Amino acid sequence: MKKNSLFMFLDYLLVLFLSVFGIFIFSWMLEFSWGYTVYSVIFSLIFFGMMYSRSWKTAKKELKNKEKAPRLTDGILLTLPFVIFNLLVIAAFSLIFYNIIPIRDNVVSIFYSFTANEPRVRNEITLIENLIPIVRIWFAPFIGFMQSANETSPLIMLISPVLTIAASLLGYFLGMKKYYISEGIVNVTEKVKEKFNE
């Protein structure tokens, strides 16, 4: 169980890699106003699928354990480390973003720009300006819901723990029941064909 909890972090890193790679694949689409939203919907579904798959496989393995029968609460325990980590990241970012901890506008670096025949211009980089790109990379699958750097809302980041818990519970439950979604899709398709052929 603990090993599978750690694998969720690896699954998420794979989703991050795919989402960054996906920016190049879907670059044509990102030029449209709806492009980033569609991009995030696609990678939210990929993320959901990865979490679902990990939970489903874990439940299937647990069924072979004769000492202890799997319970739905195990599906929640499986996902807790990853969810808690993301909630801590969101909480820490929120405290700084909303200036509850008053360090948001602390200057962390200064650089000067030089334009030809113009006096040098002092530019200050604040803590929040440094944090926003890091947080946006970590939550890259949902970046389309944030639209711009000014809208890096911690509320949008809550999509991650919500999707993780939903996917894990669904995956674990169906894994316990030995239900394959692919089989369900095939059955529905067959029924539709039968109705169509009547």
Side-chain angles (χ1 to χ4, degrees):
M1 180 76 80
K2 289 179 182 177
K3 186 169 75 171
N4 287 309
S5 292
L6 292 175
F7 279 143
M8 282 195 156
F9 285 91
L10 294 177
D11 291 338
Y12 188 64
L13 290 175
L14 179 59
V15 173
L16 285 184
F17 173 78
L18 291 173
S19 63
V20 171
F21 187 66
I23 288 176
F24 299 106
I25 296 172
F26 296 110
S27 58
W28 61 272
M29 184 176 70
L30 302 180
E31 294 174 9
F32 298 99
S33 59
W34 46 264
Y36 272 101
T37 303
V38 172
Y39 163 87
S40 282
V41 168
I42 290 168
F43 284 99
S44 292
L45 290 173
I46 291 171
F47 169 66
F48 185 91
M50 293 287 276
M51 298 295 112
Y52 168 89
S53 177
R54 177 66 56 196
S55 298
W56 190 91
K57 288 175 185 173
T58 303
K60 189 180 174 184
K61 282 181 186 175
E62 292 292 317
L63 281 173
K64 295 174 184 175
N65 184 359
K66 304 295 182 186
E67 297 173 11
K68 177 178 161 253
R71 295 170 299 171
L72 196 56
T73 50
D74 293 334
I76 297 171
L77 293 174
L78 171 69
T79 192
L80 269 184
F82 181 65
V83 168
I84 288 171
F85 178 81
N86 274 344
L87 286 174
L88 287 174
V89 170
I90 295 166
F93 181 72
S94 299
L95 291 172
I96 295 170
F97 185 80
Y98 294 115
N99 218 21
I100 295 166
I101 298 176
I103 57 173
R104 173 191 167 104
D105 298 319
N106 286 6
V107 176
V108 291
S109 63
I110 298 167
F111 70 95
Y112 293 90
S113 57
F114 300 89
T115 310
N117 302 320
E118 294 288 334
R120 67 180 184 170
V121 178
R122 174 188 167 103
N123 297 284
E124 297 179 343
I125 305 295
T126 61
L127 177 64
I128 195 67
E129 288 172 325
N130 268 353
L131 287 179
I132 283 174
I134 296 167
V135 169
R136 283 171 73 88
I137 289 169
W138 181 249
F139 293 102
F142 318 108
I143 203 167
F145 304 131
M146 300 181 196
Q147 294 300 331
S148 69
N150 295 328
E151 295 175 5
T152 308
S153 170
L155 293 175
I156 293 170
M157 295 170 197
L158 289 172
I159 294 171
S160 175
V162 168
L163 275 183
T164 305
I165 292 169
S168 295
L169 285 175
L170 180 63
Y172 204 86
F173 176 75
L174 294 181
M176 283 166 48
K177 301 294 180 185
K178 297 181 182 178
Y179 180 80
Y180 297 83
I181 283 185
S182 55
E183 282 183 6
I185 293 169
V186 169
N187 291 337
V188 169
T189 307
E190 290 299 322
K191 286 178 182 177
V192 169
K193 282 181 183 175
E194 285 173 13
K195 288 285 183 186
F196 186 75
N197 291 330
E198 283 179 0

